[in-house]
Amino acid sequence: MVGAGVLSLPYAMAQLGWGPGVAILILSWIITLYTLWQMVEMHEMVPGKRFDRYHELGQHAFGEKLGLYIVVPQQLIVEVGVCIVYMVTGGKSLHKVHELLCKEPCKEIKLSYFIMIFASVHFVLSHLPNFNAIAGVSLAAAVMSLSYSTIAWSASVRKGVQPDVAYGYKAKTAAGTVFNFFSALGDVAFAYAGHNVVLEIQATIPSTPEKPSKGPMWRGVVVAYIVVALCYFPVALIGYWMFGNKVEDNILLSLEKPTWLIVMANFFVVVHVIGSYQIYAMPVFDMIETLLVKKLNFSPTRLLRFVVRNLYVAFTMFIGITFPFFGGLLGFFGGFAFAPTTYFLPCIIWLAIYKPRKYSLSWCINWICIVLGLCLMILSPIGGLRQIILQSKDYKFYS
């Protein structure tokens, strides 16, 4: 649950401002917890059947074909988008470590090379067969995410409020302020990404009629969201409080001292995004390999797995090198991909299946989430895309 998106929350606060920023953080936490509860409940709502994939749930609600057309493209965009962002995150963290440790005279190494170094790990790990096989990597990623989140806000406290800190909007025009606000909404949405693999994770939990999987799964969700609150809110609020509107789109890039601690935090980020990349890449591998075997009649060989997975890692690496803009990518993918699958698609499925009475409490809550999620999906990509375009003007592919 605690993703690298937490590092962009102080920057999102700088674009949103104190009042709207705090309100959006709290509202997002509540809405995403509610929609995650819906998915856990719907996993076994049909006796004797488990919906182990997001698209299976969509097919049950909307029909065999329509369910696939609605859910699968959104899920793919989310999972591919996360993998691209994590390529950039891993590369930038390695680049930051090099900057901090390299003494003068120090030869500059291009960011592109650090992204390639990060990708090289995945050319190996991507050949692990399933979620259970990457359990150790996932556990390490969880510990690392808690560690670097704690370092981010504690090191910010140690550095203190900057002498020239300012909390006003940084953009010089009204249009720029509005677009930055839109992009920041996507940054917040990107931080809540667990919905896209929650059913796959719940599918690994044993279930019986007496002890359905939703019991332990929901307890896990509650613990996860408590940890999310303990990580997200201190990082977002303290980071913005200390640096104001001059905070970087990755809070760790704003921190320099103590050097050993910031280096450690960036290494933690690298370990975390290695594990998280695999978590989001695994369902994509499953989809591609299933399509090739069942629809295009390829033989399910090791060679097929080797080619497919290496090509996917190479593709996400190439896009990451081409567009290494952490803040802009978060704003774009956060709204375009995460808003549907996280904020309102579970509500639409819930309404389609359970059909609560019109104007009842359940009906009203779900429609509020749908309206807010639609606004997020429409507005955030506009701001994120603008940010990517502005950053692209000063970026050279080989820099």
Side-chain angles (χ1 to χ4, degrees):
M1 287 302 304
V2 182
V6 65
L7 299 173
S8 73
L9 291 179
Y11 181 76
M13 285 291 297
Q15 311 304 323
L16 296 170
W18 278 118
V22 172
I24 289 166
L25 280 176
I26 295 173
L27 196 59
S28 291
W29 190 88
I30 294 170
I31 289 175
T32 55
L33 178 59
Y34 171 67
T35 53
L36 197 53
W37 169 79
Q38 288 180 312
M39 296 194 69
V40 171
E41 287 290 317
M42 290 189 287
H43 178 71
E44 294 176 294
M45 60 186 164
V46 177
K49 181 175 177 60
R50 301 180 74 174
F51 298 106
D52 295 339
R53 302 285 185 274
Y54 207 143
H55 69 265
E56 293 176 5
L57 193 58
Q59 287 176 297
H60 179 71
F62 308 121
E64 288 294 318
K65 286 190 176 180
L66 183 59
L68 279 178
Y69 295 152
I70 291 174
V71 176
V72 171
Q74 291 291 346
Q75 226 184 341
L76 275 175
I77 292 170
V78 166
E79 288 155 357
V80 175
V82 170
C83 291
I84 292 169
V85 170
Y86 282 176
M87 276 286 177
V88 176
T89 308
K92 283 199 167 186
S93 293
L94 289 173
H95 190 240
K96 180 68 173 180
V97 169
H98 175 259
E99 286 181 346
L100 290 171
L101 294 182
C102 190
K103 305 298 181 183
E104 295 293 342
C106 184
K107 184 178 179 180
E108 175 65 21
I109 300 178
K110 299 170 184 176
L111 174 61
S112 305
Y113 295 151
F114 285 106
I115 295 176
M116 291 179 187
I117 293 169
F118 179 77
S120 65
V121 178
H122 297 290
F123 283 112
V124 177
L125 290 181
S126 292
H127 298 288
L128 295 173
N130 52 45
F131 274 119
N132 289 330
I134 61 172
V137 178
S138 182
L139 176 61
V143 174
M144 296 300 104
S145 64
L146 301 182
S147 301
Y148 70 66
S149 297
T150 303
I151 291 173
W153 67 259
S154 59
S156 298
V157 170
R158 185 181 184 276
K159 190 162 187 175
V161 178
Q162 299 304 289
D164 57 345
V165 68
Y167 300 109
Y169 294 119
K170 194 174 183 179
K172 297 178 180 179
T173 64
T177 300
V178 171
F179 282 120
N180 288 345
F181 190 97
F182 291 166
S183 180
L185 294 175
D187 290 354
V188 175
F190 191 95
Y192 296 94
H195 297 60
N196 298 283
V197 290
V198 66
L199 294 178
E200 284 89 345
I201 293 171
Q202 190 171 350
T204 66
I205 299 176
S207 182
T208 64
E210 296 77 24
K211 292 183 178 180
S213 63
K214 67 180 182 181
M217 186 67 185
W218 176 241
R219 289 194 292 273
V221 168
V222 170
V223 171
Y225 259 71
I226 292 171
V227 175
V228 163
L230 293 175
C231 290
Y232 285 19
F233 289 99
V235 172
L237 302 178
I238 293 174
Y240 180 46
W241 180 24
M242 298 302 160
F243 295 100
N245 59 21
K246 292 185 179 180
V247 68
E248 296 283 348
D249 58 5
N250 179 337
I251 180 66
L252 293 180
L253 301 183
S254 296
L255 298 166
E256 301 286 343
K257 303 290 183 179
T259 303
W260 67 270
L261 189 64
I262 307 307
V263 167
M264 186 185 299
N266 278 281
F267 266 124
F268 288 165
V269 172
V270 172
V271 175
H272 172 242
V273 293
I274 285 173
S276 294
Y277 182 100
Q278 291 301 314
I279 290 289
Y280 285 93
M282 200 66 73
V284 180
F285 298 151
D286 182 50
M287 286 185 192
I288 296 174
E289 289 164 11
T290 300
L291 175 68
L292 291 175
V293 171
K294 292 189 175 180
K295 299 294 183 181
L296 301 180
N297 298 319
F298 279 79
S299 298
T301 61
R302 290 185 178 180
L303 178 62
L304 177 68
R305 171 181 287 178
F306 180 83
V307 172
V308 166
R309 299 189 178 199
N310 282 346
L311 283 176
Y312 177 78
V313 173
F315 168 75
T316 55
M317 179 188 72
F318 176 77
I319 299 299
I321 291 171
T322 309
F323 303 102
F325 313 123
F326 183 71
L329 289 172
L330 257 63
F332 179 79
F333 284 117
F336 185 65
F338 284 74
T341 56
T342 303
Y343 284 76
F344 66 85
L345 190 54
C347 296
I348 294 175
I349 294 174
W350 185 274
L351 291 174
I353 293 172
Y354 290 102
K355 296 180 174 58
R357 184 170 50 85
K358 201 171 183 180
Y359 303 120
S360 65
L361 181 61
S362 174
W363 186 90
C364 292
I365 290 173
N366 281 286
W367 272 107
I368 290 171
C369 294
I370 292 169
V371 171
L372 292 176
L374 283 170
C375 292
L376 187 62
M377 183 185 73
I378 294 167
L379 300 177
S380 297
I382 299 172
L385 191 59
R386 174 182 177 273
Q387 195 170 338
I388 291 172
I389 292 170
L390 291 176
Q391 291 174 316
S392 298
K393 291 180 180 179
D394 302 321
Y395 175 71
K396 296 179 181 179
F397 181 82
Y398 293 105
S399 64

